[in-house]
Amino acid sequence: MGGLTTPVLFDLSKQTLRELNKALHGPLVPGTVYRVENPDGAHSIAVGINAPVEVHIEGHAGYYAAGMNMLATVVIYGNAGPGVAENMMSGRVDVTGFASGGAGASAHGGLLVIGGDAGLRCGISLKGGDIVVGGSVGSFSAFMAQAGNLVVCGDAGEGLGDSLYEAVVYVRGTIQSLGADAQVEPMAESDLATVSSLLGAAGISHPASDFKRVASARNLYHWNADANQEY
Amino acid sequence: MSTSSPNNNGRHEPNLQCEESAGLDRATLNYIERAAATGLYEIRGLGSKRRLPHFDDLLFLGASLSRYPLEGYREKCITKTVLGSRFASKPIELEIPITIAGMSFGSLSANVKEALGLAATSMGTSTTTGDGGMTQEERRSSKTLIYQCLPSRYGFNPDDLRRADAIEVVIGQGAKPGGGGMLLGQKVSPRVAKMRTLPEGIDQRSACRHPDWTGPDDLAIKIKELRELTDWEKPIYVKIGATRAFHDVKLAVHAGADVIVVDGMQGGTAATQLAFIEHVGIPTLAALRQAVDALEDMNKKDEVQLIVSGGIRTGADVAKALAMGADAVAIGQGILVALGCNAATYVRDGKHFSAVDDYTALRTAPGFCHHCHTGRCPTGVTTQDPELEQRLEPQVGANRVRNYLKTLNMELTMMARACGKQNVHHLEREDLVALTVEAAAMAKIPLAGTSWIPGEPGRM
Ligand code: SF4
């Protein structure tokens, strides 16, 4: 990438996580590729990057992989623990396997792609980021999600989209149950375009018309419609 | 007054036909009437209004023959305070042990946030962001700014994290341990809405649990992530709303906190359900004692610093908190009052103007207001209204807060010198006695004139 053919190697069986993250926070040459070997489920791998570089994690990652990412592309060749790409601002994070709970929690931007299933609370508190899940998502996904899109190619668990704000969830399979104030709405042209473009970016092919749109009924936006009335 | 009514002369005489009930007193009757009329619980600002065992129930034993005092005006008394030396490579160094508690932009105006920064900086102390992110105004004006990481994560981002001087992971607040933040629609202005990624004007109710971790084991991993994100430079505070303070402090220390902030039930809020404010949590006095017990039990008293908040108003309160084992205090409501909260007037271009009509419009009066949640603050402290906001000029606010902090610090050093201490951090429990049995039991300080601490065996 960027003319650099040899990736910079980090072997977490020999080097410390601190060394890796310190290097990733230093002045970086855009386009540099970092290859992280033997991640062995370590937590907080490649957190807080603020540069257009690539990080390839060759194995499973623990909690908070690529947390608060900005600009970078991080690929996890394996499964990711809780909070992968939490609070991402921009850039892209790919998980080829499964992701645990809170994937993409409170992400403000960027794209998170999970090849397999995601656990509980996927996209919780989402604030503008986009998430594409190749498989299914667990219960309480998109809880209080404020902005951004969650595209689920499989099924969704219980309480999907509870207390949603302006974020939108698209589900291809079945929805076990909707959370408070979430409702299924018809797919508009703009929804089809959003789903197609996110699937395209994720490299997953399904017809956008297979998906249902779940958004907020906006009944919880104001405290209590009766509150200003006196009986 | 409880059994009286005006007689023909207008005098209040006992009258069994007008006996007030202790259980169904006028406040309770009003509460039930209001609930019946609206079908919604009461929401308000500020903190608990009921009488609670507090620092007022403790007294200092000034030095005399058995110990000698320091000269009040001549001998040095150190107030320097270092927070976060456990793991962080850049601990916070403050000139005074009195800090400004976390209050959000949203609950407060940008002017107020700027005023707090200016005042804190001139006194060599820190100020804190709140639920809603960091404003440019407060970052610019604050030399030392603590950045809160809250369950809502509104406006939380890595740039501000890197710009901060310390990070405070907020588990709860004293006004509502177990509850999430709240900002009613009147205060969700375009700028507030944008910073929080919310539609304008909605009644915002934030989450009460963090989105990406649950429980103390997760918290330990989250704290490590925050350290990795900031290259282990910045101190990490953990703020707890006081309930099971002994266990919660232990868990927070175990999770790797550098500094523990314990907020007692007198702690303020910009908007919370009344039932929460008055009926959940424990008094600051009890919480502080439990927190110190926990640190001593773990042998971490010198390693992990303790900040206490919740109803600290005076220099005497600060001195007593330090004597009981706090390293510093944080003040919220006292700061608001210094800015002009509950004052009858506001200042514009050097002149005082009456705000009484605006209190009346809120069906209250100067001295009794707790209407921060409405966004109609008569003195411009807790508002997003462009007109009301002008009632607090940043420089006026900054001067008042600086004077207030200065006064507290003078009182603190006066107390310390009177107890013979060259450093305010040398104040100790042995310098205190309790005025009431409740305070003696909660603070584990002997009742004045005795060596009796309720519940301590062998100390009668
Ligand atoms: S005067 Fe302003 S800050 Fe004080 S209680 Fe009333 S609304 Fe809140």
Side-chain angles (χ1 to χ4, degrees), chain A residues 17-22 25 43-44 47-50 63-70 82-83 86-87 89 101-102 105-106 108 121 124-128 143-144 146-147 165-166 219-224 226-231, chain B residues 36-41 43 151-159 161-162 182 184-185 195-207 209-214 218-219 221-232 273:
Chain A
L17 179 78
R18 188 77 285 273
E19 287 171 85
L20 169 67
N21 284 331
K22 196 170 168 218
H25 297 168
H43 305 315
S44 309
V47 296
I49 307 179
N50 185 18
Y63 281 54
Y64 310 129
M68 296 200 108
N69 185 51
M70 285 175 96
E86 65 84 20
N87 218 98
M89 303 303 291
S106 76
H108 288 64
R121 297 185 284 273
I124 181 174
S125 207
L126 194 67
K127 290 174 168 55
F143 176 69
M144 291 185 96
Q146 296 166 232
Y165 291 98
E166 296 295 294
N219 288 326
L220 292 178
Y221 277 22
H222 294 283
W223 202 274
N224 177 345
D226 292 331
N228 299 324
Q229 297 168 10
E230 301 238 336
Y231 294 108
Chain B
T38 63
L40 182 67
Y41 39 48
I43 294 165
S152 72
R153 306 282 165 90
Y154 293 136
F156 195 65
N157 70 73
D159 288 334
L161 193 73
R162 289 185 270 262
M182 184 185 282
L184 299 191
M195 273 180 75
R196 299 183 187 209
T197 327
L198 287 170
E200 279 173 39
I202 65 151
D203 291 329
Q204 168 236 298
R205 280 155 285 173
S206 341
R209 294 199 305 257
H210 283 257
D212 56 352
W213 64 268
T214 19
D218 278 7
L219 175 60
I221 301 170
K222 185 71 199 172
I223 287 178
K224 278 239 173 70
E225 186 209 8
L226 291 167
R227 293 201 190 279
E228 283 294 325
L229 281 160
T230 54
D231 293 314
W232 291 74
Q273 297 91 332

Side-chain angles (χ1 to χ4, degrees), chain B residues 58 324 429 432-434 439-447 452-454:
Chain B
L58 301 180
M324 279 184 65
R429 280 201 284 277
L432 293 171
V433 291
M442 286 186 191
K444 292 195 191 163
I445 300 280
L447 196 64
W452 181 51
I453 298 174

Side-chain angles (χ1 to χ4, degrees), chain A:
Chain A
M1 289 252 131
L4 285 175
T5 45
T6 24
V8 181
L9 280 189
F10 267 91
D11 185 343
L12 285 184
S13 69
K14 299 195 183 85
Q15 288 160 289
T16 62
L17 179 78
R18 188 77 285 273
E19 287 171 85
L20 169 67
N21 284 331
K22 196 170 168 218
L24 292 174
H25 297 168
L28 302 179
V29 179
T32 309
V33 178
Y34 294 83
R35 198 182 141 93
V36 180
E37 292 176 344
N38 298 306
D40 207 19
H43 305 315
S44 309
I45 298 176
V47 296
I49 307 179
N50 185 18
V53 297
E54 272 189 46
V55 180
H56 294 256
I57 300 169
E58 307 285 336
H60 305 314
Y63 281 54
Y64 310 129
M68 296 200 108
N69 185 51
M70 285 175 96
L71 303 170
T73 297
V74 179
V75 186
I76 299 161
Y77 295 97
N79 302 330
V84 61
E86 65 84 20
N87 218 98
M88 170 162 56
M89 303 303 291
S90 61
R92 172 173 180 151
V93 176
D94 282 79
V95 181
T96 62
F98 296 98
S100 182
S106 76
H108 288 64
L111 174 66
L112 168 64
V113 179
I114 296 158
D117 298 334
L120 301 174
R121 297 185 284 273
C122 179
I124 181 174
S125 207
L126 194 67
K127 290 174 168 55
D130 292 315
I131 304 176
V132 179
V133 181
S136 300
V137 295
S139 299
F140 314 115
S141 287
F143 176 69
M144 291 185 96
Q146 296 166 232
N149 300 290
L150 169 61
V151 178
V152 182
C153 299
D155 305 326
E158 283 175 49
L160 179 70
D162 196 293
S163 309
L164 263 179
Y165 291 98
E166 296 295 294
V168 181
V169 185
Y170 299 98
V171 184
R172 183 162 160 272
T174 58
I175 298 167
Q176 205 172 333
S177 67
L178 291 170
D181 211 28
Q183 63 183 14
V184 176
E185 296 178 351
M187 291 283 283
E189 281 304 317
S190 57
D191 293 305
L192 295 170
T194 302
V195 172
S196 301
S197 104
L198 287 173
L199 288 174
I204 297 175
S205 53
H206 291 299
S209 54
D210 283 3
F211 288 78
K212 289 177 278 290
R213 172 190 157 99
V214 176
S216 176
R218 300 178 182 157
N219 288 326
L220 292 178
Y221 277 22
H222 294 283
W223 202 274
N224 177 345
D226 292 331
N228 299 324
Q229 297 168 10
E230 301 238 336
Y231 294 108

Side-chain angles (χ1 to χ4, degrees), chain B residues 17-219:
Chain B
Q17 306 320 313
C18 283
E19 184 180 1
E20 182 165 16
S21 161
L24 285 170
D25 59 0
R26 276 164 289 178
T28 309
L29 294 174
N30 184 247
Y31 158 84
I32 295 173
E33 286 161 10
R34 211 206 56 83
T38 63
L40 182 67
Y41 39 48
E42 175 80 352
I43 294 165
R44 70 164 172 84
L46 298 189
S48 172
K49 288 195 169 186
R50 57 153 95 203
R51 159 107 183 107
L52 292 164
H54 200 26
F55 292 114
D56 284 340
D57 302 317
L58 301 180
L59 297 171
F60 273 108
L61 299 175
S64 63
L65 260 183
S66 50
R67 300 188 180 193
Y68 61 90
L70 300 185
E71 284 293 344
Y73 306 102
R74 283 166 288 275
E75 284 181 276
K76 236 179 133 165
C77 182
I78 294 164
T79 56
K80 215 172 188 53
T81 302
V82 178
L83 302 169
S85 50
R86 187 186 186 191
F87 294 120
S89 65
K90 294 184 178 167
I92 299 292
E93 291 185 16
L94 304 177
E95 296 302 325
I96 60 172
I98 309 166
T99 67
I100 298 181
M103 292 179 278
S104 74
F105 165 67
S107 70
L108 306 182
S109 70
N111 275 0
V112 173
K113 290 303 271 178
E114 184 178 351
L116 298 185
L118 293 171
T121 302
S122 73
M123 288 301 294
T125 189
S126 63
T127 183
T128 314
T129 65
D131 198 1
M134 185 189 286
T135 62
Q136 296 300 329
E137 288 90 339
E138 67 188 323
R139 179 60 285 188
R140 249 198 333 260
S141 61
S142 312
K143 178 172 171 277
T144 307
L145 182 59
I146 317 302
Y147 188 41
Q148 288 191 331
C149 173
L150 291 122
S152 72
R153 306 282 165 90
Y154 293 136
F156 195 65
N157 70 73
D159 288 334
D160 288 340
L161 193 73
R162 289 185 270 262
R163 268 194 281 271
D165 299 293
I167 301 152
E168 182 169 299
V169 180
V170 179
I171 316 291
Q173 83 185 78
K176 49 179 153 189
M182 184 185 282
L183 195 70
L184 299 191
Q186 305 89 299
K187 297 178 86 169
V188 184
S189 69
R191 183 174 173 197
V192 170
K194 188 158 182 286
M195 273 180 75
R196 299 183 187 209
T197 327
L198 287 170
E200 279 173 39
I202 65 151
D203 291 329
Q204 168 236 298
R205 280 155 285 173
S206 341
C208 64
R209 294 199 305 257
H210 283 257
D212 56 352
W213 64 268
T214 19
D217 295 334
D218 278 7
L219 175 60

